[in-house]
CSV table of all heavy atoms in Angstrom, one decimal:
chain,number,residue,atom,x,y,z
A,1107,ASP,N,48.0,15.6,-76.1
A,1107,ASP,CA,47.3,16.1,-77.3
A,1107,ASP,C,48.1,17.2,-78.0
A,1107,ASP,O,47.5,17.9,-78.8
A,1107,ASP,CB,45.9,16.6,-76.9
A,1107,ASP,CG,45.9,17.8,-75.9
A,1107,ASP,OD1,47.0,18.0,-75.4
A,1107,ASP,OD2,44.9,18.4,-75.7
A,1115,LEU,N,55.4,5.2,-78.4
A,1115,LEU,CA,55.6,4.7,-77.0
A,1115,LEU,C,55.3,3.2,-76.9
A,1115,LEU,O,54.3,2.7,-77.4
A,1115,LEU,CB,54.6,5.4,-76.1
A,1115,LEU,CG,54.7,6.9,-75.8
A,1115,LEU,CD1,53.5,7.5,-75.1
A,1115,LEU,CD2,56.0,7.1,-75.0
A,1120,LYS,N,47.6,-2.0,-70.4
A,1120,LYS,CA,46.7,-1.4,-69.4
A,1120,LYS,C,47.4,-0.5,-68.5
A,1120,LYS,O,47.0,-0.4,-67.3
A,1120,LYS,CB,46.0,-2.5,-68.7
A,1120,LYS,CG,45.1,-3.4,-69.6
A,1120,LYS,CD,44.3,-4.4,-68.9
A,1120,LYS,CE,43.5,-5.1,-70.0
A,1120,LYS,NZ,43.0,-6.3,-69.8
A,1136,GLY,N,39.8,14.3,-79.6
A,1136,GLY,CA,40.8,13.5,-80.3
A,1136,GLY,C,40.3,12.1,-80.5
A,1136,GLY,O,39.3,11.7,-79.9
A,1144,ARG,N,47.9,-9.0,-84.3
A,1144,ARG,CA,47.8,-10.2,-85.2
A,1144,ARG,C,47.6,-9.8,-86.6
A,1144,ARG,O,48.0,-10.5,-87.5
A,1144,ARG,CB,46.6,-11.0,-84.7
A,1144,ARG,CG,46.9,-11.8,-83.4
A,1144,ARG,CD,45.7,-12.6,-83.0
A,1144,ARG,NE,44.6,-11.6,-82.6
A,1144,ARG,CZ,43.5,-11.9,-81.9
A,1144,ARG,NH1,43.3,-13.1,-81.6
A,1144,ARG,NH2,42.7,-10.9,-81.6
A,1175,ASP,N,54.4,8.4,-95.9
A,1175,ASP,CA,53.7,9.5,-96.5
A,1175,ASP,C,52.3,9.7,-96.0
A,1175,ASP,O,51.8,10.7,-95.7
A,1175,ASP,CB,53.7,9.4,-98.1
A,1175,ASP,CG,55.1,9.6,-98.7
A,1175,ASP,OD1,56.0,10.2,-98.0
A,1175,ASP,OD2,55.3,9.2,-99.8
A,1183,GLU,N,38.5,13.3,-90.6
A,1183,GLU,CA,37.8,12.5,-89.6
A,1183,GLU,C,38.6,11.5,-88.9
A,1183,GLU,O,38.3,11.1,-87.8
A,1183,GLU,CB,36.6,11.8,-90.3
A,1183,GLU,CG,37.0,10.9,-91.4
A,1183,GLU,CD,35.9,10.6,-92.4
A,1183,GLU,OE1,35.1,11.5,-92.7
A,1183,GLU,OE2,35.9,9.5,-92.9
A,1195,VAL,N,48.3,-0.2,-80.6
A,1195,VAL,CA,48.5,-1.5,-81.1
A,1195,VAL,C,48.5,-2.4,-79.9
A,1195,VAL,O,49.4,-2.3,-79.0
A,1195,VAL,CB,49.9,-1.7,-81.9
A,1195,VAL,CG1,50.1,-3.1,-82.3
A,1195,VAL,CG2,49.9,-0.7,-83.1
A,1199,ASP,N,53.5,-7.8,-78.2
A,1199,ASP,CA,54.5,-8.8,-77.9
A,1199,ASP,C,54.7,-9.7,-79.2
A,1199,ASP,O,55.7,-10.2,-79.5
A,1199,ASP,CB,54.1,-9.7,-76.8
A,1199,ASP,CG,53.8,-9.0,-75.5
A,1199,ASP,OD1,52.8,-8.3,-75.5
A,1199,ASP,OD2,54.6,-9.1,-74.6
A,1201,LEU,N,54.7,-8.9,-82.2
A,1201,LEU,CA,55.5,-8.2,-83.2
A,1201,LEU,C,57.0,-8.1,-82.9
A,1201,LEU,O,57.8,-8.0,-83.8
A,1201,LEU,CB,55.0,-6.8,-83.5
A,1201,LEU,CG,53.5,-6.6,-83.9
A,1201,LEU,CD1,53.2,-5.2,-84.0
A,1201,LEU,CD2,53.4,-7.3,-85.3
A,1208,PRO,N,61.5,-3.5,-86.1
A,1208,PRO,CA,62.3,-2.2,-86.0
A,1208,PRO,C,61.9,-1.2,-87.1
A,1208,PRO,O,61.9,0.0,-86.9
A,1208,PRO,CB,63.7,-2.7,-86.1
A,1208,PRO,CG,63.7,-4.1,-85.7
A,1208,PRO,CD,62.4,-4.7,-86.2
A,1209,LEU,N,61.7,-1.7,-88.3
A,1209,LEU,CA,61.4,-0.8,-89.4
A,1209,LEU,C,60.0,-0.2,-89.2
A,1209,LEU,O,59.8,1.0,-89.5
A,1209,LEU,CB,61.4,-1.6,-90.8
A,1209,LEU,CG,61.0,-0.8,-92.0
A,1209,LEU,CD1,61.9,0.4,-92.2
A,1209,LEU,CD2,61.1,-1.7,-93.2
A,1212,SER,N,60.4,2.7,-86.8
A,1212,SER,CA,61.0,3.8,-87.5
A,1212,SER,C,60.1,4.5,-88.5
A,1212,SER,O,60.0,5.7,-88.5
A,1212,SER,CB,62.3,3.3,-88.3
A,1212,SER,OG,62.9,4.3,-89.0
A,1221,ALA,N,53.6,14.6,-89.4
A,1221,ALA,CA,52.3,15.0,-89.0
A,1221,ALA,C,52.3,16.0,-87.9
A,1221,ALA,O,51.6,17.0,-87.9
A,1221,ALA,CB,51.5,13.8,-88.6
A,1226,ASP,N,57.2,21.5,-94.1
A,1226,ASP,CA,57.6,20.3,-94.9
A,1226,ASP,C,59.1,20.0,-94.7
A,1226,ASP,O,59.8,20.7,-93.9
A,1226,ASP,CB,57.2,20.5,-96.4
A,1226,ASP,CG,58.0,21.6,-97.1
A,1226,ASP,OD1,59.1,22.0,-96.6
A,1226,ASP,OD2,57.6,22.0,-98.2
A,1228,ASP,N,61.6,20.6,-96.4
A,1228,ASP,CA,62.4,21.7,-96.8
A,1228,ASP,C,62.3,22.9,-95.9
A,1228,ASP,O,63.0,23.9,-96.1
A,1228,ASP,CB,62.1,22.2,-98.2
A,1228,ASP,CG,62.4,21.1,-99.3
A,1228,ASP,OD1,63.4,20.4,-99.1
A,1228,ASP,OD2,61.6,21.0,-100.2
A,1252,GLU,N,64.8,-5.0,-73.0
A,1252,GLU,CA,64.7,-5.8,-74.2
A,1252,GLU,C,64.1,-5.1,-75.4
A,1252,GLU,O,64.5,-5.2,-76.5
A,1252,GLU,CB,64.0,-7.1,-73.9
A,1252,GLU,CG,63.9,-8.1,-75.0
A,1252,GLU,CD,63.1,-9.3,-74.7
A,1252,GLU,OE1,61.9,-9.2,-74.3
A,1252,GLU,OE2,63.7,-10.4,-74.8
A,1253,ILE,N,63.0,-4.4,-75.1
A,1253,ILE,CA,62.2,-3.7,-76.1
A,1253,ILE,C,63.1,-2.6,-76.7
A,1253,ILE,O,63.2,-2.4,-77.9
A,1253,ILE,CB,60.9,-3.2,-75.6
A,1253,ILE,CG1,60.0,-4.4,-75.3
A,1253,ILE,CG2,60.2,-2.3,-76.6
A,1253,ILE,CD1,58.7,-4.1,-74.5
A,1255,ALA,N,66.3,-2.3,-76.7
A,1255,ALA,CA,67.4,-2.9,-77.5
A,1255,ALA,C,66.9,-3.4,-78.9
A,1255,ALA,O,67.6,-3.2,-79.9
A,1255,ALA,CB,68.0,-4.1,-76.8
A,1263,THR,N,66.1,8.1,-81.6
A,1263,THR,CA,66.4,8.3,-80.2
A,1263,THR,C,65.5,7.5,-79.4
A,1263,THR,O,64.2,7.6,-79.4
A,1263,THR,CB,66.2,9.8,-79.8
A,1263,THR,OG1,67.0,10.6,-80.7
A,1263,THR,CG2,66.5,10.1,-78.4
Side-chain angles (χ1 to χ4, degrees):
D1107 63 346
L1115 292 168
K1120 297 184 178 156
R1144 288 178 291 193
D1175 292 342
E1183 59 202 36
V1195 176
D1199 305 71
L1201 298 174
L1209 179 57
S1212 177
D1226 66 18
D1228 295 323
E1252 179 180 60
I1253 293 167
T1263 301

